[in-house]
Amino acid sequence: MLVYAPAALLFLVFCVRVARERRKFSNAVILGLAALCGLAAWVVQLIRSGSASGQAVAWAALVLGALSILVLTCFLFSNGLQMVRKEGRSPTNLLSLVAALAILAVVALVVMAVVVRTPVWVGVGTAAGGLAAYLAFLFLCFVCYAFLYGRQRVRRKADFVVVLGSGLVGGSTVPPLLASRLRRAQAVHARLAERGDAPVVITSGGQGPDEDVPESHAMADDLIAHGFPAGLIEREDRSTTTDENLRFSKAIMEKSKPDYRCVIVTNNYHAFRAALTARRTGLRGQVVGSPTAAYFWPTATIREFAAVLVAYKRTNVAICLLLVLGGVLAWWAQRNGS
């Protein structure tokens, strides 16, 4: 059982860190490393057993992995085409298609490296495989931890409910995506009001160049139209990004109540990144998500993951350069060994 000790230790570290602060991407990475160590320990035990069943399981795992890549690629292609049909051909809506093409490109490079085995192809295949494995690991960590983060219960007491804005339709109409945030905010507000004083709802969002009114004003009007008391709404109408949403809302809350606690409402695909941003801005509160249309979720999740990579760009660039260096070393070793 000692072979599982690293996985158990990493999982213990994960639990301690989550108890102290849930809003860290490093929590996701540590959980992923714990799962990876556990899987590696299981494979080692299978190899040591030398039994036919162990070999069968190992081959089954390889086949399952290959099928998973195939299914994922087909799913991303299908989702990308659906996004283009329903949402248009903006660069963001093409992310699923780009991801599918990237997977095919990596598979092709690795296969060429194995088949041709020239120094150049070995180097390129090694670098491409390493980069793909690294990004795939981070993406799985992101998705799994974001799912776990989204399952947490709303805190028992809060002074404010902050609703993050998004674009308006026709310059003044709240779209379904934003409407789902507002309905979730109303549900959270009602639950908190049952436990004590009714919190203030802050609608957060400025006016874009193609919008007739600030998003926060349209959001407030929508809440009032759905029976929410106008006296419990505060409008933050200067922000244009998630970071500004949170910083400007934080200033409003600190001015009203320095020791505030809040609940931030956004869509479920955006909740974890919003939580990371809230931690960086020093905002005291948790983030909860509202439902998102199923077809929209894959592309939105890829976009959120890309934003997290950019937020930690120094670390990611350093690791990617090391993986590229590994490809160069593989090329050099193949060249001097042949």
Side-chain angles (χ1 to χ4, degrees):
M1 295 299 292
L2 285 177
V3 71
Y4 288 98
L9 179 60
L10 283 169
F11 185 72
L12 178 61
V13 172
F14 165 77
C15 293
V16 172
R17 290 174 64 87
V18 167
R20 292 179 176 177
E21 174 58 85
R22 298 178 182 180
R23 304 172 300 174
K24 285 186 176 183
F25 187 67
S26 55
N27 293 343
V29 175
I30 292 172
L31 179 61
L33 289 173
L36 193 62
C37 288
L39 179 62
W42 177 66
V43 171
V44 168
Q45 282 200 325
L46 285 179
I47 294 174
R48 286 178 178 176
S49 67
S51 62
S53 60
Q55 294 180 0
V57 170
W59 278 107
L62 288 174
V63 172
L64 182 62
L67 287 176
S68 298
I69 293 174
L70 177 62
V71 170
L72 176 62
T73 304
C74 293
F75 170 75
L76 289 173
F77 263 119
S78 175
N79 178 255
L81 294 174
Q82 189 177 22
M83 282 292 296
V84 169
R85 287 197 302 268
K86 292 190 175 185
E87 303 291 337
R89 297 183 180 181
S90 69
T92 299
N93 296 335
L94 297 175
L95 285 176
S96 290
L97 286 174
V98 172
L101 291 173
I103 292 173
L104 290 178
V106 170
V107 171
L109 289 174
V110 172
V111 169
M112 285 294 293
V114 172
V115 173
V116 179
R117 295 196 63 80
T118 61
V120 171
W121 278 112
V122 168
V124 171
T126 300
L131 290 171
Y134 173 66
L135 293 176
F137 171 73
L138 287 185
F139 183 73
L140 287 174
C141 291
F142 173 79
V143 171
C144 292
Y145 190 74
F147 175 80
L148 293 176
Y149 184 87
R151 303 281 79 75
Q152 65 177 329
R153 294 183 178 181
V154 177
R155 64 176 68 258
R156 299 186 63 85
K157 184 178 179 180
D159 306 295
F160 298 91
V161 177
V162 181
V163 191
L164 304 186
S166 65
L168 302 176
V169 175
S172 60
T173 303
V174 170
L177 193 74
L178 183 52
S180 71
R181 299 183 186 185
L182 295 169
R183 301 294 79 78
R184 181 67 194 278
Q186 284 185 272
V188 170
H189 183 276
R191 194 176 310 157
L192 292 169
E194 291 175 354
R195 301 169 181 170
D197 295 334
V200 173
V201 170
I202 299 178
T203 54
S204 178
Q207 184 173 349
D210 58 344
E211 294 173 338
D212 301 327
V213 296
E215 294 166 8
S216 59
H217 292 213
M219 294 160 67
D221 292 342
D222 182 89
L223 285 172
I224 295 170
H226 282 81
F228 193 83
L232 291 178
I233 300 176
E234 180 84 24
R235 296 167 176 82
E236 182 286 296
D237 57 8
R238 296 184 297 147
S239 57
T240 57
T241 65
T242 299
D243 182 74
E244 290 182 350
N245 284 142
L246 298 175
R247 285 195 293 110
F248 296 158
S249 297
K250 176 187 175 186
I252 292 174
M253 291 185 287
E254 286 182 335
K255 183 178 180 180
S256 176
K257 187 174 183 180
D259 60 341
Y260 73 91
R261 301 296 299 184
C262 71
V263 176
I264 304 159
V265 181
T266 184
N267 285 90
N268 50 14
Y269 68 84
H270 185 234
F272 183 41
R273 183 165 74 89
L276 297 177
T277 306
R279 176 178 172 271
R280 288 198 299 271
T281 58
L283 192 147
R284 294 191 297 275
Q286 70 177 107
V287 183
V288 298
S290 63
T292 305
Y295 77 90
F296 193 83
W297 187 87
T299 295
T301 301
I302 295 172
R303 183 184 65 194
E304 294 299 302
F305 174 65
V308 171
L309 289 180
V310 172
Y312 298 92
K313 55 181 176 294
R314 290 184 179 179
T315 300
N316 288 314
V317 168
I319 293 176
C320 288
L321 288 176
L322 288 175
L323 293 170
V324 171
L325 178 60
V328 173
L329 292 176
W331 163 81
W332 182 83
Q334 182 74 8
R335 182 183 179 184
N336 287 274
S338 58

